[in-house]
Structures are given as structure tokens and as C-alpha cells.
Amino acid sequence: MNSNGNGKTGEDSIIQFPCYFPIKIIGNNTDSFLSEIKNTIDNFLTEGHEPKISTKTSKNESYLSITLTIYVENQLTLDNIYRVLTQHPDVKMVL
């Protein structure tokens, strides 16, 4: 049985790790928001697996939506990514 790093086996988890996982971050559209988010996730990147990044601004350009598709090896890493992203002062929502 394979462990996902969260104490559960692959059969117990809905998500099969390792995998590419999309994360949507919505936050204030500041000049530095995108680069700060990129810097925030740098510690979680697996060598050889660069994240795919797409962005979209809101209609009035107040908010920026960032979709990161990132390679994640286990549930613990995914949980830590969400935890760090939600602590950023300009982040309004992480999905």
C-alpha cells in the first residue's frame, strides 16, 4: 500500500498522489501580488515540475485571479501550500 504522507493509503484518499493539482488564488490586484505568490510557493516546488500559471483580472481590475497547476506529492504538502497561501495579506480566497 502506498502512503500519501497523510497517514492514509491511496485507497483512502479521493486524490491520488503524486499529481498535478490546480489551485485558484484570488486577491488584491497589486503590482507585486503575482510575484509574491510565486515566491510563496517556491519552497513547495518539485525539481523538474514547473507550475503552470494563468491569470485573470476582475472586471474593474481590483482583483487578480491566479490559477496554479502545481505538482504535489502528498496531502500534507497540499495542506501546507493552502495554509501558507491563506496567510498572505492580499489573498481573499484560495480554492
Side-chain angles (χ1 to χ4, degrees):
M1 292 185 158
N2 293 333
S3 175
N4 291 333
N6 63 357
K8 295 182 178 180
T9 61
E11 293 81 26
D12 295 336
S13 177
I14 294 172
I15 303 169
Q16 296 297 311
F17 294 100
C19 66
Y20 286 93
F21 193 85
I23 301 171
K24 182 168 283 217
I25 304 114
I26 300 169
N28 295 324
N29 187 14
T30 64
D31 291 338
S32 60
F33 184 59
L34 179 59
S35 63
E36 289 173 7
I37 294 301
K38 286 179 181 179
N39 290 337
T40 299
I41 65 155
D42 274 348
N43 292 333
F44 299 102
L45 298 180
T46 302
E47 191 171 329
H49 297 278
E50 290 297 315
K52 294 178 184 171
I53 301 171
S54 62
T55 62
K56 184 177 180 182
T57 55
S58 62
K59 186 176 181 179
N60 62 4
E61 298 187 5
S62 296
Y63 298 100
L64 181 65
S65 171
I66 303 168
T67 302
L68 298 171
T69 302
I70 187 169
Y71 185 79
V72 183
E73 296 196 7
N74 55 54
Q75 185 67 50
L76 181 61
T77 301
L78 184 58
D79 292 345
N80 287 333
I81 292 168
Y82 272 87
R83 193 171 296 112
V84 170
L85 288 171
T86 57
Q87 292 174 356
H88 189 285
D90 285 325
V91 170
K92 300 299 181 190
M93 189 180 310
V94 180
L95 305 170

